[in-house]
Amino acid sequence: MPILTFKGGVHPPQKKHFTKDKPFEKLPLPDFVYLFTTNHLGAPAKPLVKEGDQVKTGQLVAEATSTISANIHSSVTGEVIGIESFINASTGRKDNAIVIKRTSEDIWEYIEHDENFKKFSKEELINIVKKAGIVGLGGAMFPSHVKLNIPANKKVEYLIINGAECEPYITVDDMIMKTYTEEIIKGIKIIEYIVNPEKIYVGIEENKPEAIKAMKNSLKNENIEVAILKTKYPQGAEKQLIKAITKREVPSGGLPIDAGALVFNISTTYAIYDAVINGKPLVERGITLSGGVKKPGNYWFRIGTKVSDLLNQVGLVEEEKIDRIIYGGPMMGLPLPSIDLPTFKGNNAITVLTKEEIPQKHEYPCIRCASCVKACPMGLQPYYLKKLADARKNDIAQENGIMDCIECGACSYICPSNIELVKTFKTTKKVIKAIQKRRV
């Protein structure tokens, strides 16, 4: 099979050498966890506990409140201290978080599970995923049980497991594929049993030769194909992944299922395995801690741990050398206003960017070179959308596809005038959505 790719994209420095060969380490259990009730896309979960309640690891502490919502479970064994508000970088606002003080080592509360997953019906498996509170762990945090519940008028032709991991610095999915190969395959088979696809692919960028080899060796006797992808950003974006592998395009405003595809991230696939086979709700996950830290690596941590606690485990470089600290990677990551904030389910990395790596750049006027047009993976005209957004011509910006922008930052990265195009698009999209909401 040839190396696959999509039109557009950029080639930022990969910076994966810091951690790509670092095996997983388990971080010590935190003394406190802070569990956002908005640990997913959609409606906040409803707290089921109150101050003074004793909880076990894996115990349900907040339940989904609507179709697009997800359960929250305690990630430690301890006592509920109360509910506090914190800035949630994933939503950009202050959200409630259940605060739990750890009082002992883990005493687990498991959900229904079985090594023989085929003893369950498809509906029962979807319910297990729902009970476990599993969401998209590549960053989107869309509830996985909703994605698995395919509409009656739709058919999954392609199941794609996303191992591209194109964001610089991040290596957590790469390490999962190399370390937990058989578990990933079992997770794929569980998803296959539920959605009955015609074809299954595991998409991996060519810069992960060991993961490609591990997956290929374990899939020799399986009807699952490893699709080798060109190392290019944003190859791991859902629409670009689908285009590269299937040559199909997700329609504007549509979902992958509208193109006959269903995409699951490697970490999400592992979480589905862990829930169905081992009965573990989503309370821990893998994370890459990299950049300006003294002990970069891949780690398992408990969801709800404060960022400061994670960074204390790996050590920061001198404060005066740090430019910014972000949830995720440098292209699509969210800058932290403070490290005294909780982690959430979608945290696949904490990246510390130094001033040496992020030199201060002066912004110049657009020279209409069209570099952003060539780089845009969605085929948009970023320079023109910026002009429309600045003039607040939001209706015309919509007509020209601004809502199709995936906010990957390729346009900002490639711009020779250092114009932060994607920041403008994010703001404009929020304004458009707010206006649409008011009209409803």
Side-chain angles (χ1 to χ4, degrees):
M1 192 173 187
I3 294 174
L4 306 172
T5 191
F6 61 97
K7 187 177 180 181
V10 292
H11 297 274
Q14 296 175 36
K15 303 282 188 179
K16 295 180 185 284
H17 62 280
F18 294 112
T19 58
K20 71 181 182 68
D21 298 319
K22 298 289 180 71
F24 279 112
E25 293 183 38
K26 279 209 169 193
L27 292 177
L29 294 175
D31 292 329
F32 291 87
V33 291
Y34 306 79
L35 302 169
F36 281 122
T37 57
T38 49
N39 238 303
H40 48 265
L41 190 70
K46 178 185 176 182
L48 299 176
V49 292
K50 62 184 184 302
E51 184 179 344
D53 284 354
Q54 303 297 312
V55 293
K56 297 177 182 178
T57 306
Q59 181 176 329
L60 184 67
V61 293
E63 64 180 349
T65 55
S66 71
T67 303
I68 311 295
S69 187
N71 290 339
I72 312 292
H73 303 79
S74 177
S75 51
V76 294
T77 296
E79 179 182 347
V80 177
I81 301 301
I83 296 178
E84 297 179 17
S85 293
F86 294 89
I87 292 290
N88 185 342
S90 68
T91 64
R93 60 175 184 263
K94 272 199 166 187
D95 287 334
N96 288 334
I98 299 168
V99 184
I100 301 172
K101 178 183 180 181
R102 184 172 66 86
T103 56
S104 73
E105 296 301 305
D106 287 327
I107 302 171
W108 280 90
E109 183 170 303
Y110 297 102
I111 58 175
E112 185 180 10
H113 61 285
D114 200 289
E115 175 71 29
N116 176 23
F117 64 86
K118 290 185 178 180
K119 69 172 278 189
F120 298 111
S121 68
K122 296 177 183 181
E123 292 73 22
E124 286 172 332
L125 285 172
I126 292 173
N127 196 44
I128 289 173
V129 172
K130 180 179 180 180
K131 283 182 179 178
I134 296 171
V135 302
L137 297 181
M141 297 197 295
F142 188 82
S144 297
H145 68 277
V146 179
K147 187 183 279 193
L148 287 167
N149 201 358
I150 308 300
N153 63 337
K154 300 290 183 180
K155 166 68 179 171
V156 178
E157 297 174 63
Y158 302 98
L159 170 61
I160 302 173
I161 305 302
N162 187 355
E165 199 164 52
C166 60
E167 181 86 35
Y169 289 94
I170 306 175
T171 58
V172 63
D173 284 346
D174 182 17
M175 190 52 64
I176 286 177
M177 285 187 284
K178 293 185 288 190
T179 309
Y180 302 104
T181 313
E182 296 304 322
E183 290 86 343
I184 290 296
I185 293 169
K186 195 78 174 268
I188 294 172
K189 289 181 177 180
I190 293 168
I191 299 170
E192 178 188 21
Y193 179 71
I194 296 171
V195 303
N196 191 29
E198 294 178 10
K199 186 68 179 171
I200 307 173
Y201 293 97
V202 181
I204 310 174
E205 278 193 339
E206 59 182 328
N207 64 350
K208 303 172 182 63
E210 292 176 357
I212 291 171
K213 183 180 179 181
M215 294 302 295
K216 277 189 169 183
N217 286 343
S218 294
L219 291 171
K220 282 179 181 176
N221 300 316
E222 303 291 343
N223 189 30
I224 302 170
E225 189 172 345
V226 174
I228 303 176
L229 306 164
K230 185 175 181 178
T231 300
K232 184 169 64 168
Y233 178 87
Q235 183 61 82
E238 206 168 46
K239 293 176 182 178
Q240 283 60 50
L241 188 66
I242 292 168
K243 177 68 175 177
I245 293 177
T246 72
K247 307 306 176 190
R248 294 186 180 183
E249 288 189 8
V250 177
S252 177
L255 297 170
I257 193 63
D258 297 322
L262 193 65
V263 181
F264 280 93
N265 167 267
I266 285 289
S267 289
T268 311
T269 304
Y270 181 86
I272 290 172
Y273 155 83
D274 211 18
V276 173
I277 304 302
N278 299 323
K280 286 188 175 182
L282 181 56
V283 298
E284 63 180 350
R285 64 157 299 162
I287 192 170
T288 298
L289 303 177
S290 191
V293 298
K294 295 176 180 177
K295 193 183 174 187
N298 300 297
Y299 299 91
W300 286 105
F301 80 103
R302 293 299 170 91
I303 293 162
T305 304
K306 279 191 174 180
V307 173
S308 55
D309 290 340
L310 294 181
L311 294 176
N312 284 340
Q313 295 296 326
V314 295
L316 284 171
V317 297
E318 293 81 359
E319 189 175 342
E320 62 270 14
K321 293 182 180 179
I322 297 171
D323 181 85
R324 71 193 77 162
I325 299 173
I326 52 180
Y327 287 121
M331 297 297 287
M332 289 189 75
L334 303 166
L336 279 137
S338 163
I339 61 171
D340 196 36
L341 292 175
T343 52
F344 43 88
K345 292 180 180 181
N347 280 147
N348 58 353
I350 301 293
T351 307
V352 180
L353 298 176
T354 63
K355 292 174 182 176
E356 183 181 355
E357 292 172 292
I358 310 292
Q360 296 301 310
K361 295 180 179 180
H362 181 74
E363 185 175 309
Y364 297 94
C366 173
I367 59 173
R368 298 176 70 84
C369 65
S371 294
C372 58
V373 177
K374 293 175 186 175
C376 179
M378 294 302 295
L380 304 176
Q381 300 183 74
Y383 77 92
Y384 183 51
L385 292 174
K386 175 78 161 69
K387 183 178 179 180
L388 293 173
D390 287 346
R392 299 186 180 180
K393 294 181 179 180
N394 294 343
D395 289 343
I396 303 176
Q398 272 188 273
E399 291 170 7
N400 282 271
I402 195 168
M403 300 310 288
D404 287 327
C405 169
I406 61 172
E407 302 175 13
C408 66
C411 55
S412 298
Y413 175 81
I414 206 69
C415 178
S417 293
N418 303 320
I419 299 170
E420 289 282 5
L421 295 153
V422 73
K423 283 187 178 179
T424 301
F425 303 154
K426 286 179 180 180
T427 302
T428 303
K429 287 171 68 177
K430 284 179 181 177
V431 170
I432 291 170
K433 288 177 181 177
I435 292 171
Q436 290 173 338
K437 195 173 182 179
R438 284 202 298 269
R439 285 175 181 169
V440 173

